[in-house]
Amino acid sequence: MAYAAGLIARTRKVEECTPLVDEKKYAKKLATLRSIVAPELKMVYIGVGEKQVKVGGEDVMYRHQMTFFNKPPFAYDVADNMEEAKLVERVKKISTWRKFYIGKWQGVEMIAVRSVTDDPAKFAACVKTVMANSDFPLILCSFNPAVLKAGLEVAAKAKPLIYAANKDNWKEVAQLAFDYKVPVTLSVPFDLDGLKSMAVTFASMGLTDLVLDPGTAPNGKLLQQTMLNFINLRRAAVEEAQRDIAYPVMVLPINAWLTTDDPVRAAYWESVLTAAFVIRGGAIMIKHSLEAHSMMPDMHLRFNIYTDPRTPVQVKPGIYKVGNPGAESPVFLTTNFALTYYTVESDIASNGIDAYIIAINTDGIGVQASVAGGQLSPTKILDSFNEAAFKWEDQKFPAMVLPGMAAKFSGELEDLFAGKAKIMVGPEDSGRIIGWMKDFWPPKN
Amino acid sequence: MAEKITLSDLNKTLTEMNVQSLEGLKIEGDVEIDLDVGAGGVGPLFAYYFGQEAAKIAMQLMNFAKAVGYPVENLLQPVAVASAIAPAPKDLAAAAAAVPAFKVASALASAKFAVGVDKTWRNPIQEVTLGATKADGGSRGHVVKLGGEKAMPFFPDAAMPHAPKITMDVFDMPIGMAKAVKMHYEDVISSPGEWAKKAVKKFGADMVTVHLISTDPLLKDTSAQDAVKTVEEVLQAVDVPICIGGSGNPNKDPIVLSKAAEVAQGERVLIASANLNMDWEKIGKACVDNGHVCLAWTQLEINSQKELNRKLMKVAGVPRESIVMDPTTAALAYGLDFAYSNMERIRLGALKGDEELTFPMSSGTTNAWGVRESWMVRSPNKDDSDWGDRMLRGPIWEILTGYSLAMAGVDIFMMMHPTAVAYLHEITQSLMGRIEAKTPDTAAWLKMGV
């Protein structure tokens, strides 16, 4: 039973059931089990090796029903009419962008190469340059089969996704997908009958590594239609098990750039479109703005929505060491909410400060809410230090630094610790710990 | 021909002549070709092709046998060989079609896409009216309606009867604000009336929220008596429906908000808020006595929300049409996932029939400005990529916080930045199909020259 639950939750694998795998007589049962635990929405692999991305593979409509498994990779665009130096610069920016969040680095996963020139040789050269400067999986973008073929000649071994087969070129593109063994996007905008027809046709040719582009309208009534299409496609796949249309769906937030010449407006609207479809079923996205004011919010939103609600985002309560703390180091106090803890930790570590952090068990609630809700209290703090058996007598400056948002506990804590430790009030945001250290550490008296 | 040419004989000889071995092929003296193709589990197609190959080889073997002295010519049965290398019969052609020999389809299959609606959504969300016009004993120019949904927001199942609304924050004393926000309010920061006017006339707010934060004992400790003068000032300055907020102090808020409810009697304001850690009954009753709507605030916990709603209805006597919920907004990057799923669960629970949850929801979207990514000049983490311009980073933080929760079912947003208000309005209206605009060719991105 536990194993069965594990299979559904994808923490266990079918292959772990060795009798089914090893004994020939169970071959049929093995196949049945595989098909039962296969995700409702087909999972497509793009790229090879470490950077390979999984697209689709979802089981539920709403994240709290289990979790969303595969966050939609963001593919930022480059074009084959870019000057080489600019192209390389953009590829490097895409490949190296990063942001620390809850103990992990957030970054981009893919690059989309657009053929603006429609010239196979130029496209091939561009793909070559991109591959020489990045190991990210690619999306090769053109409706011209000759251009796609030229790109595939260069990149096929890295298993790129091709974009796209449409109503005019699908025969040639199907042949390419077969010849080069790559996943393929089917683009039939705002016509779900047509999209399904193409998906069924490709499947009948044995091509099932498919990504669907149902059209992304950046404005007007077609934007509403876009949302309805995404909802309907997801429903068909996960609630009605319509396997013949259950493929990952592509979103084109980049289309925001077709509606305005104002780069701030375009970037904002691109973020809005990204958010809409991160939440409602987008499986892979082609994006443009590399500005921090769109990448940061989009990355965080995606992270939040694809966080597994089944695993508590908590760290183990107790004392942690950052750097090499000793007798002259401060003790910073925070809660065991993972976001809070890792934020404080990274603010201390990245500024080269040696310190202790005590994570108080607030059931994973942050500082502000736990102060208001009573999960963080002076007696809880005292108990936590006692449980951790922290030796104040070893410290040259025995002092704990409270988060600014818990400042109101300082009086009561002074009484509770009765001179054993000095109670100091730190900044409201741990990003200011570095400045606080300069002004207040070591303590003056 | 008594002698048999056995396979081993042949193999031996063939090996000497660098010919590969022939397994499963037995040639006897009277030249019977006996192919054992079934045992290996090969299909008819394989057998067919293998048969052709074998037949050819057999002919070569006979030539070879003849060359080494076996009189085979007169025993050769041309008919058998001919049949072995003849074109595939019909059943074999069918088998050929089933194996992965790739062939591009000649035409697109015909298919129709169809999908149903969610039949478990039986219960509509309670409709709640905020504000009262002269006809109803108030002085507002118009009312604002929330709720009435029969489906998840922007879903195809049922249209939303009312668009999400935005109420902009006004404070009764100057407060610290992020630079990107402050620049829009510096001229009105000491005058709540002017502030409210600017929010409505310049920024297009549907409503305003007067936050009586000066009543906080840790701030100015303004008395309820004095604080409510600001409520009167705002009611006179604008004619939109209003919301009245306290300082968040659980001891003082019931006193302040009850007084405010009296002063605003008949205006059907939204009183923000009652929660389980304070005298919610006093606040609930003040709403009932003065004809207001009560905001029921809980902290990210669906069962607490049910408990509070139940108590407000059963103990304080607040009618169903006078409750709005605030299940807490944890902002983007500061726990949005909790806020999002909590609200989505509440709304789905309500639609499926949980009568303790069938109320419109409110979001304190301004919380986005508490997130460091929205206001800090640069990253405290030296290894992060550049954080860019915070004046641009802040508003989008508020937009995405609000918009995500709009998708989860929020009906009314408490907000601060005018740009965020405009974008949230635009995207929610767009998804309701209310904005006419020429949609560009959606394939044009491929060749765009940005």
Side-chain angles (χ1 to χ4, degrees):
Chain A
M1 199 53 217
Y3 172 69
L7 279 180
I8 299 300
R10 294 196 207 169
T11 53
R12 307 288 297 270
K13 288 185 170 149
V14 173
E15 287 68 29
E16 289 173 44
C17 181
T18 45
L20 274 191
V21 178
D22 295 344
E23 290 185 40
K24 268 196 174 165
K25 61 179 174 177
Y26 292 133
K28 207 168 174 189
K29 285 195 169 163
L30 176 66
T32 310
L33 183 59
R34 279 205 172 112
S35 102
I36 288 170
V37 302
E40 297 291 342
L41 193 69
K42 163 108 181 169
M43 185 145 71
V44 173
Y45 296 84
I46 306 169
V48 291
E50 238 174 64
K51 298 281 164 72
Q52 184 182 62
V53 292
K54 289 182 236 169
V55 173
E58 301 299 341
D59 271 333
V60 294
M61 191 85 194
Y62 309 100
R63 63 186 287 280
H64 68 267
Q65 291 172 319
M66 180 156 57
T67 184
F68 292 163
F69 288 96
N70 300 310
K71 64 180 181 186
F74 290 167
Y76 285 86
D77 76 316
V78 297
D80 67 354
N81 65 341
M82 293 174 85
E83 287 168 31
E84 168 122 359
K86 284 204 166 154
L87 174 65
V88 171
E89 187 194 331
R90 189 168 167 87
V91 168
K92 290 208 163 140
K93 189 164 182 191
I94 293 168
S95 312
T96 58
W97 190 91
R98 64 180 195 165
K99 161 87 172 60
F100 194 74
Y101 181 57
I102 319 194
K104 286 180 186 149
W105 287 104
Q106 300 302 300
V108 181
E109 293 80 16
M110 299 183 76
I111 295 176
V113 188
R114 298 188 282 128
S115 176
V116 175
T117 64
D118 214 31
D119 177 336
K122 283 191 177 137
F123 188 68
C126 180
V127 172
K128 206 172 238 176
T129 306
V130 172
M131 290 180 76
N133 288 283
S134 170
D135 59 352
F136 281 17
L138 304 181
I139 308 179
L140 305 182
C141 309
S142 173
F143 287 123
N144 181 343
V147 168
L148 288 176
K149 187 178 168 69
L152 285 167
E153 281 294 321
V154 178
K157 274 192 184 155
K159 208 179 171 193
L161 171 67
I162 50 176
Y163 181 98
N166 63 17
K167 280 187 167 163
D168 302 320
N169 71 8
W170 64 271
K171 289 184 181 176
E172 292 95 323
V173 174
Q175 188 68 52
L176 288 174
F178 176 78
D179 289 345
Y180 292 92
K181 304 285 173 263
V182 289
V184 56
T185 314
L186 311 181
S187 179
V188 187
F190 315 111
D191 170 13
L192 295 186
D193 291 343
L195 189 62
K196 185 174 171 180
S197 300
M198 202 176 283
V200 168
T201 308
F202 271 62
S204 76
M205 294 184 265
L207 299 172
T208 56
D209 282 338
L210 306 178
V211 171
L212 308 180
D213 168 20
T216 303
N219 62 358
K221 291 196 169 171
L222 268 182
L223 172 53
Q224 182 193 27
Q225 191 56 52
T226 304
M227 175 57 78
L228 297 178
N229 285 348
F230 273 75
I231 292 169
N232 280 331
L233 284 169
R234 184 61 167 260
R235 259 191 178 161
V238 306
E239 289 187 339
E240 297 190 2
Q242 298 187 27
R243 290 289 168 103
D244 51 4
I245 192 77
Y247 298 99
V249 183
M250 177 183 279
V251 193
L252 301 166
I254 191 173
N255 278 346
W257 292 81
L258 302 173
T259 63
T260 175
D261 294 327
D262 173 356
V264 173
R265 155 120 194 131
Y268 271 26
W269 201 250
E270 184 175 3
S271 282
V272 167
L273 294 178
T274 301
F277 300 106
V278 161
I279 293 171
R280 290 282 176 249
I284 178 169
M285 307 207 174
I286 298 183
K287 290 164 61 63
H288 179 72
S289 172
L290 293 180
E291 297 292 342
H293 57 258
S294 51
M295 292 184 85
M296 285 172 61
D298 295 353
M299 291 282 177
H300 284 88
L301 181 77
R302 184 179 67 165
F303 187 104
N304 285 164
I305 296 297
Y306 278 77
T307 292
D308 189 341
R310 298 169 302 173
T311 3
V313 280
Q314 299 181 14
V315 296
K316 211 174 136 218
I319 300 267
Y320 290 83
K321 291 178 177 179
V322 184
N324 293 301
E328 299 191 2
S329 303
V331 183
F332 290 98
L333 186 141
T334 189
T335 77
N336 76 323
F337 179 33
L339 168 62
T340 315
Y341 174 79
Y342 284 118
T343 306
V344 175
E345 189 203 69
S346 96
D347 290 340
I348 293 172
S350 80
N351 287 296
I353 300 167
D354 294 319
Y356 297 97
I357 301 178
I358 182 161
I360 311 286
N361 186 359
T362 57
D363 301 323
I365 297 174
V367 176
Q368 196 173 19
S370 63
V371 168
Q375 293 88 351
L376 186 63
S377 68
T379 45
K380 188 95 164 253
I381 292 171
L382 180 66
D383 293 347
S384 301
F385 274 106
N386 289 341
E387 272 167 41
F390 190 74
K391 291 186 177 158
W392 290 108
E393 58 274 20
D394 290 351
Q395 297 302 103
K396 191 174 171 193
F397 312 114
M400 82 175 77
V401 187
L402 291 180
M405 286 175 181
K408 70 175 187 184
F409 294 155
S410 57
E412 207 178 330
L413 281 168
E414 294 276 3
D415 296 345
L416 282 175
F417 279 80
K420 212 159 80 176
K422 185 179 164 71
I423 314 298
M424 302 177 80
V425 176
E428 291 210 341
D429 191 300
S430 60
R432 293 182 167 171
I433 282 177
I434 176 76
W436 183 92
M437 288 291 286
K438 281 174 194 143
D439 293 341
F440 299 105
W441 194 264
K444 302 283 183 293
N445 45 26
Chain B
M1 276 303 294
E3 284 175 331
K4 284 181 179 177
I5 302 171
T6 64
L7 194 57
S8 59
D9 291 338
L10 270 172
N11 269 349
K12 193 165 169 272
T13 319
L14 289 171
T15 306
E16 284 162 10
M17 298 180 73
N18 283 332
V19 176
Q20 290 184 341
S21 71
L22 299 162
E23 284 175 296
L25 176 65
K26 194 165 75 181
I27 298 177
E28 295 191 346
D30 52 358
V31 199
E32 276 175 13
I33 297 169
D34 195 347
L35 278 172
D36 184 19
V37 292
V42 297
L45 191 74
F46 177 79
Y48 169 71
Y49 284 116
F50 185 75
Q52 292 225 18
E53 284 303 302
K56 284 178 197 157
I57 292 167
M59 290 184 78
Q60 285 170 4
L61 283 175
M62 283 184 282
N63 290 337
F64 164 75
K66 189 170 70 178
V68 295
Y70 289 100
V72 291
E73 291 117 313
N74 55 343
L75 296 169
L76 190 63
Q77 295 170 15
V79 178
V81 173
S83 103
I85 57 172
K90 262 188 186 165
D91 57 328
L92 290 177
V99 304
F102 186 76
K103 192 169 175 295
V104 172
S106 56
L108 287 173
S110 167
K112 288 270 175 223
F113 178 82
V115 68
V117 296
D118 195 319
K119 293 192 184 74
T120 66
W121 298 347
R122 312 183 299 265
N123 234 31
I125 304 304
Q126 174 68 49
E127 188 169 84
V128 173
T129 303
L130 297 173
T133 60
K134 227 175 211 172
D136 295 312
S139 64
R140 304 298 86 198
H142 61 89
V143 301
V144 158
K145 289 192 175 183
L146 309 176
E149 298 95 335
K150 291 177 180 160
M152 288 303 286
F154 317 114
F155 268 57
D157 307 55
M160 294 165 75
H162 308 298
K165 298 296 188 301
I166 294 161
T167 176
M168 290 183 81
D169 297 322
V170 173
F171 294 87
D172 73 340
M173 63 177 275
I175 54 149
M177 286 182 247
K179 197 178 165 199
V181 177
K182 197 175 183 179
M183 59 181 280
H184 296 285
Y185 299 109
E186 264 163 340
D187 56 333
V188 294
I189 204 158
S190 303
S191 167
E194 292 304 310
W195 189 336
K197 271 188 201 164
K198 191 171 187 181
V200 174
K201 296 209 169 116
K202 190 159 181 207
F203 303 142
D206 297 305
M207 291 178 49
V208 291
T209 302
V210 198
H211 295 277
L212 303 175
I213 57 163
S214 75
T215 58
D216 191 327
L218 296 175
L219 294 171
K220 286 188 178 173
D221 203 14
T222 310
S223 70
Q225 207 74 28
D226 288 340
V228 297
K229 286 178 189 157
T230 306
V231 173
E232 292 174 316
E233 182 188 337
V234 170
L235 280 170
Q236 282 177 8
V238 294
D239 74 347
V240 297
I242 72 164
C243 170
I244 302 171
S247 67
N249 182 296
N251 300 318
K252 191 130 180 227
D253 271 3
I255 303 162
V256 172
L257 293 175
S258 299
K259 185 73 193 164
E262 282 171 31
V263 168
Q265 192 176 41
E267 298 288 2
R268 201 162 173 75
V269 306
L270 179 62
I271 297 288
S273 47
N275 77 52
L276 289 167
N277 300 330
M278 58 158 68
D279 189 350
W280 46 265
E281 189 176 348
K282 186 178 171 77
I283 294 175
K285 285 195 163 145
C287 291
V288 176
D289 292 345
N290 298 286
H292 300 308
V293 177
C294 186
L295 186 63
W297 171 43
T298 55
Q299 286 162 321
L300 299 172
E301 221 287 297
I302 191 168
N303 290 313
S304 304
Q305 190 70 57
K306 284 163 65 89
E307 181 188 347
L308 179 58
N309 296 350
R310 186 165 63 237
K311 284 178 166 167
L312 286 172
M313 288 188 284
K314 299 223 164 123
V315 182
V318 182
R320 294 189 63 84
E321 66 273 20
S322 298
I323 293 176
V324 174
M325 302 181 285
D326 175 2
T328 293
T329 291
L332 176 59
Y334 273 24
L336 178 78
D337 39 332
F338 296 100
Y340 176 85
S341 281
N342 186 47
M343 288 175 175
E344 194 166 66
R345 285 178 66 201
I346 288 173
R347 178 53 53 91
L348 283 165
L351 292 170
K352 285 176 200 287
D354 188 334
E355 299 248 331
E356 289 175 349
L357 293 171
T358 46
F359 304 100
M361 286 191 281
S362 167
S363 155
T365 312
T366 301
N367 285 353
W369 294 95
V371 178
R372 57 161 61 176
E373 281 84 353
S374 76
W375 59 266
M376 257 188 199
V377 178
R378 66 186 70 84
S379 176
N381 188 320
K382 287 176 177 160
D383 298 321
D384 272 0
S385 293
D386 186 44
W387 279 20
D389 182 356
R390 66 165 164 165
M391 300 300 275
L392 297 174
R393 222 192 303 127
I396 188 73
W397 222 266
E398 190 179 353
I399 296 168
L400 291 203
T401 297
Y403 175 48
S404 303
L405 300 178
M407 307 275 282
V410 168
D411 300 85
I412 183 164
F413 298 86
M414 299 193 181
M415 300 181 73
M416 276 222 87
H417 198 286
T419 304
V421 169
Y423 273 82
L424 188 71
H425 182 78
E426 185 178 353
I427 183 63
T428 51
Q429 291 282 316
S430 294
L431 291 179
M432 294 177 78
R434 293 184 178 185
I435 293 188
E436 295 285 348
K438 194 181 174 312
T439 298
D441 170 10
T442 54
W445 64 276
L446 263 175
K447 298 203 174 186
M448 78 179 180
V450 174

